[in-house]
Amino acid sequence: MKKRIVSAVALGLIVAGCSQMAPPPAALNDGELAFPDGYKSWPVFLSAVQREDAKQIRDIYMNGEAARGSSSSGFPQGSVLVMENWAVKLDADGKPMKGADGKLVKDKLAAVFVMGKNPGWGAQVPAEQKNGNWIYTAFKGNGELNGDAKYNTCRGCHTPLKDKDFVFRYDEHFAMKK
Ligand code: HEC
């Protein structure tokens, strides 16, 4: 009888212990982030970035964790940034057209780029390409994983931005937040 009570108490402790511990995020690498369903209702990081040179418009969103970032401390663990790359309408000469507002005009969604960070992520990345523990994943405009993405190219552009938590539009974003 006594034994049974003890084991019931022990079981209760184990269950209580588990419910207090959130499971740690799985250790992911480039190309392994899930498509961020529902990101269009996330806070806006920057919208309608005009990239005439690349013939694109870019809309950037962030999850709730990233929204807690600051220009002095960067983005907390658990942050996710999502960038929509929109192709723009071109004229007969293949040059980007402008609307009445002087801005580029969206055509099709060409790609969705995602970067996310968590402790232990990107463990397989060579030291010289490490961007803290940010990892990258590229999706096509239809939401399918882009199996041809070369993640060393993402890193090639973002790695030099050490002072900005490896985020390009860092200053612009925090200036807008003020
Ligand atoms: C040629 C350089 C270059 C490459 C390659 C590149 N990026 Fe970027 N990335 C940028 C620039 C510049 C911006 C800022 C937005 C803009 O000006 O278009 C940016 C912005 C982003 C953002 C929004 C946050 C920020 O940094 O402002 C995400 C997310 C992102 N890139 C993911 C990726 C992923 C994923 C890849 C690889 C599949 C990638 N990038 C490859 C240059 C690059």
Side-chain angles (χ1 to χ4, degrees):
M1 185 67 195
K2 202 176 173 194
K3 208 173 181 188
R4 225 184 254 163
I5 293 169
V6 170
S7 59
V9 169
L11 188 66
L13 285 177
I14 291 168
V15 170
C18 286
S19 65
Q20 273 163 21
M21 260 188 293
L28 301 181
N29 283 292
D30 288 339
E32 294 180 351
L33 288 167
F35 187 80
D37 287 322
Y39 71 83
K40 278 178 187 282
S41 59
W42 289 6
V44 170
F45 178 95
L46 274 183
S47 68
V49 176
Q50 306 284 301
R51 286 295 307 267
E52 192 166 351
D53 57 329
K55 298 180 180 171
Q56 285 192 347
I57 294 174
R58 294 171 171 177
D59 286 327
I60 311 173
Y61 299 85
M62 61 190 163
N63 69 354
E65 293 300 314
R68 296 195 292 110
S70 73
S71 59
S72 55
S73 59
F75 296 95
Q77 300 300 333
S79 290
V80 179
L81 301 177
V82 180
M83 180 165 74
E84 288 185 334
N85 294 0
W86 287 85
V88 295
K89 294 220 158 84
L90 305 176
D91 64 18
D93 299 329
K95 286 206 193 105
M97 296 185 346
K98 302 263 175 81
D101 58 359
K103 295 196 167 163
L104 301 168
V105 184
K106 274 182 186 171
D107 190 4
K108 289 201 180 80
L109 181 60
V112 177
F113 283 1
V114 185
M115 57 193 279
K117 62 150 95 166
N118 259 307
W121 283 11
Q124 286 167 23
V125 176
E128 67 280 5
Q129 281 191 13
K130 275 221 193 312
N131 288 353
N133 48 21
W134 286 108
I135 57 168
Y136 299 83
T137 300
F139 298 90
K140 299 178 193 170
N142 64 6
E144 282 171 20
L145 183 71
N146 180 351
D148 298 327
K150 299 276 177 287
Y151 293 105
N152 55 351
T153 65
C154 318
R155 292 178 176 280
C157 278
H158 285 261
T159 303
L161 305 174
K162 273 183 216 60
D163 300 341
K164 311 283 179 195
D165 202 5
F166 308 100
V167 170
F168 267 93
R169 298 273 172 176
Y170 191 93
D171 291 337
E172 212 172 318
H173 166 66
F174 289 116
M176 188 202 63
K177 246 181 129 180
K178 271 185 200 156

